[in-house]
Amino acid sequence: MHHVLSAQQFSKSELLLILKQAEEMEKVLAQGGTDIAHNKILATFFYEPSTRTRLSFETAMLRLGGKVISTPNALAVSSVTKGETVEDTARILSGFADIIAMRSKEVGYAERAAKVSSVPILNAGDGPGEHPTQSLLDLFTIKKYFNLEKPLQLVFVGDMKYGRTVHSLETILRHFPNIALTFIAPSSLEIPLKHFHPEKGDQKMTQLTDEILEQSDVIYDTRVQEERFEDRNEYLKLRDAFIFDEKKVARMKKNAILMHPLPRVNEIASAVDGLPQAKYFEQARNGVPVRMALIARALKLIET
Ligand code: CP
């Protein structure tokens, strides 16, 4: 079954095929959509809040001609409040829908769901663990501006510890060894060891220097993940560690890109939004064609 559980599951040839299929889906979108999924149902079941991921999954299914059932606030309105397990939830949903996109607060829920589900599970973010479908739309966005096989300086900035989008994107970027990775975070939010590979040339730093701004091709900024902190004062101390304003972005190369999975809080000033390097809204829009490709693959409506 075509579950999407972790960025680790993809081979390079699969990644390249998904990128190509997402490009095809962009053309389909330009025509208003298709009906290849006309008798299929997507269930979105989100234990944690979301704007982009849930609604882009749902848009993707509707643009494929399918239907959607949705529980956007499972911790408040579903039988999870009565103690229902993720396994039982998955068993029930897989009797209703043909495919399930699930977001959880805990690491590993999507895998637990996949063990008992009779339909594909798409991990839409599991706590501080992974966000594999986001990493595919991130890769799709980078490929629009750069040749993935040529040398490229990519710098992650912000919350490397809890930032699940970083964990997944770092993983898939290993298939493109010409992309050099630097991780910049306050020392208490540094990249977990399993995602840091100095033997592959990775660097980690605690300061966002002018040199970094001037030399990077891709800067992937992230929010400090407030919801993962037990001590709010600790969060408040770290929240504004790195702020991209017009002055900082003016130091970036003209053809460099500034990405962010969103939502942002303070870390990118709104004055940056109109600058040529700012690609984060486009990045979010890319979620629709990429998720169309992923749903169509999982339902075996296109080549896998
Ligand atoms: N990028 C992302 O996961 O956004 P949402 O939390 O709004 O889904």
Side-chain angles (χ1 to χ4, degrees):
M1 222 182 317
H2 278 281
H3 302 299
V4 176
L5 303 178
S6 164
Q8 288 175 43
Q9 75 188 62
F10 298 111
S11 65
K12 183 165 183 177
S13 59
E14 278 174 307
L15 289 174
L16 295 178
L17 181 58
I18 293 167
L19 294 178
K20 192 163 148 270
Q21 290 168 327
E23 278 169 16
E24 292 300 317
M25 290 300 176
E26 274 190 321
K27 292 181 201 151
V28 168
L29 275 171
Q31 304 299 317
T34 174
D35 65 353
I36 57 171
H38 72 277
N39 55 355
K40 302 292 184 187
I41 295 176
L42 164 74
T44 55
F45 196 87
F46 277 46
Y47 294 79
E48 280 202 329
S50 168
T51 297
R52 276 146 293 277
T53 310
R54 186 175 65 84
L55 291 176
S56 64
F57 263 123
E58 295 184 4
T59 304
M61 189 51 157
L62 294 171
R63 294 289 188 192
L64 288 168
K67 295 185 173 61
V68 173
I69 54 174
S70 186
T71 298
N73 190 6
L75 287 177
V77 302
S78 79
S79 287
V80 173
T81 60
K82 302 170 203 164
E84 188 157 49
T85 63
V86 65
E87 285 82 4
D88 282 359
T89 302
R91 284 187 186 101
I92 297 303
L93 292 181
S94 62
F96 299 159
D98 301 285
I99 183 166
I100 300 166
M102 180 175 279
R103 169 170 288 185
S104 64
K105 192 172 160 55
E106 315 292 337
V107 175
Y109 260 39
E111 279 178 26
R112 284 172 58 186
K115 283 200 176 109
V116 298
S117 174
S118 57
V119 303
I121 299 286
L122 308 174
N123 179 359
D126 60 333
E130 282 220 41
H131 198 343
T133 67
Q134 173 79 41
S135 70
L136 295 169
L137 75 90
D138 293 339
L139 187 67
F140 185 70
T141 305
I142 296 167
K143 186 176 173 287
K144 280 186 181 284
Y145 293 94
F146 298 101
N147 181 337
L148 299 173
E149 302 299 344
K150 294 237 167 103
L152 204 63
Q153 297 292 331
L154 190 147
V155 179
F156 291 103
V157 179
D159 186 344
M160 305 293 103
K161 181 178 179 186
Y162 299 121
R164 58 193 173 198
T165 68
V166 175
H167 304 162
S168 291
L169 184 54
E170 167 276 312
T171 301
I172 61 169
L173 288 175
R174 300 300 174 183
H175 292 289
F176 304 93
N178 286 317
I179 303 181
L181 303 186
T182 301
F183 302 89
I184 302 182
S187 52
S188 59
L189 296 179
E190 74 177 15
I191 188 78
L193 281 179
K194 71 172 180 173
H195 294 289
F196 182 64
H197 298 282
E199 76 284 2
K200 294 180 177 163
D202 290 4
Q203 299 197 60
K204 60 180 168 182
M205 303 168 72
T206 54
Q207 299 296 321
L208 177 60
T209 62
D210 286 347
E211 200 184 0
I212 289 281
L213 287 168
E214 287 158 9
Q215 293 179 357
S216 306
D217 299 298
V218 179
I219 296 184
Y220 189 101
D221 191 25
T222 61
R223 176 178 65 93
V224 175
Q225 307 276 299
E226 178 178 6
E227 62 275 34
R228 312 284 173 225
F229 284 77
E230 282 174 15
D231 179 354
R232 184 166 160 76
N233 287 329
E234 186 59 19
Y235 161 70
L236 291 174
K237 268 194 261 165
L238 298 167
R239 182 182 64 178
D240 298 331
F242 310 106
I243 295 187
F244 283 87
D245 56 16
E246 284 171 289
K247 259 173 78 181
K248 276 210 172 67
V249 178
R251 288 197 166 271
M252 291 172 64
K253 294 183 203 172
K254 288 284 166 284
N255 69 338
I257 64 172
L258 176 61
M259 299 175 67
H260 191 302
L262 304 179
R264 66 169 156 188
V265 189
N266 291 334
E267 62 276 9
I268 301 180
S270 59
V272 171
D273 298 352
L275 299 181
Q277 293 93 343
K279 302 297 182 205
Y280 29 89
F281 294 121
E282 177 188 330
Q283 181 186 350
R285 281 195 300 278
N286 288 337
V288 176
V290 170
R291 291 184 169 115
M292 285 172 76
L294 291 173
I295 292 170
R297 286 170 59 85
L299 293 174
K300 300 192 172 89
L301 302 173
I302 57 174
E303 183 191 348
T304 55

